[in-house]
Amino acid sequence: MQFTVAIDGPAAAGKGTISRALAAHFGFAHLDTGLLYRAVGRRTLDGVPAVIAASTLRISDLSRTDLRTQEVAQAASEVAANPQVRAALVAFQKDFARREGGAVLDGRDIGTVICPEAEAKLFVTASAEIRAHRRWLELTQAGHDADEAQVLADVKARDARDAGRADAPMKQAPDAILLDTSDMSIDAALETALAHVRDRK
Ligand code: C5P
């Protein structure tokens, strides 16, 4: 059985939580595609050219523990604007999406570029202020020193770069349902997402 759930949207909108919950509920595999770009961005900070980092990426690079910082997020969004970097990562994502047993992929271009034929598509968003606040809470609770105004500026810079790039910009696919989590509890957002996927099965 092949069944792909494509989840796109900006940073800290709730994509990760929703994707993991859907994958667990339906027994599907999950790929956080942001990790691919973060792993490439991380290596560029170590001095490796972006296209080389993308074409030599290994699965073990995705489990590096230092991929969640704001610095790596910005580096990821810079390398993600490079069409050669994106091209080097396409095949892995497409294969993952069509694996037997079902898959959930979350990112920016899953429903539009990686998997336009996905059986279920969601575009998960929330206001920049709410997303920055959530990200700031996550960072401080994890023991990082974070300034909320700086996190908001970073979120806005990343949104602008991700939505404004020429190749595979972040956008809602025409057949994706929009889930704005600004004023929603996580349980309500999950229930809506589950109902959508159930309808498509
Ligand atoms: O989702 P996450 O914040 O981990 O993504 C990091 C960066 O990777 C994003 O800001 C975006 O530039 C890039 N990205 C992308 N396409 C994807 C997933 C992530 O361009 N499918």
Side-chain angles (χ1 to χ4, degrees):
M1 187 271 310
Q2 291 178 331
F3 189 97
T4 311
V5 183
I7 312 228
D8 290 304
K15 295 190 307 286
T17 306
I18 290 174
S19 302
R20 282 189 296 274
L22 289 176
H25 183 87
F26 293 105
F28 294 170
H30 171 225
L31 179 65
D32 168 1
T33 65
L35 277 182
L36 304 174
Y37 294 92
R38 285 174 182 264
V40 174
R42 174 65 257 175
R43 291 187 68 202
T44 64
L45 295 173
D46 299 333
V48 179
V51 178
I52 301 209
S55 51
T56 58
L57 198 68
R58 287 163 310 185
I59 294 291
S60 58
D61 294 330
L62 306 184
S63 45
R64 282 182 67 157
T65 52
D66 52 358
L67 299 181
R68 290 284 168 209
T69 66
Q70 291 288 103
E71 185 193 20
V72 171
Q74 293 302 329
S77 136
E78 279 161 34
V79 301
N82 181 331
Q84 285 174 282
V85 167
R86 304 199 72 83
L89 303 175
V90 166
F92 176 74
Q93 295 175 80
K94 282 189 186 277
D95 287 349
F96 193 98
R98 300 319 286 171
R99 61 166 49 203
E100 273 306 310
V104 181
L105 284 81
D106 71 283
R108 303 291 186 289
D109 63 339
I110 309 303
T112 49
V113 174
I114 300 297
C115 247
E117 71 290 355
E119 282 78 7
K121 296 184 187 179
L122 288 149
F123 192 84
V124 183
T125 191
S127 74
E129 285 71 19
I130 286 183
R131 289 184 288 115
H133 184 67
R134 290 177 186 161
R135 183 49 51 88
W136 174 81
L137 273 180
E138 261 172 37
L139 288 167
T140 49
Q141 282 168 1
H144 299 286
D145 199 11
D147 168 32
E148 191 165 348
Q150 186 58 48
V151 176
L152 177 60
D154 287 351
V155 159
K156 286 183 171 170
R158 210 138 66 89
D159 285 358
R161 206 184 293 121
D162 291 345
R165 68 182 173 225
D167 188 23
M170 167 175 73
K171 68 167 185 253
Q172 185 182 351
D175 52 347
I177 67 151
L178 179 66
L179 189 54
D180 186 333
T181 66
S182 300
D183 300 316
M184 253 185 175
S185 68
I186 187 63
D187 284 349
L190 279 178
E191 200 35 63
T192 307
L194 273 174
H196 176 64
V197 177
R198 237 185 258 118
D199 280 355
R200 300 289 163 138
K201 284 195 76 172

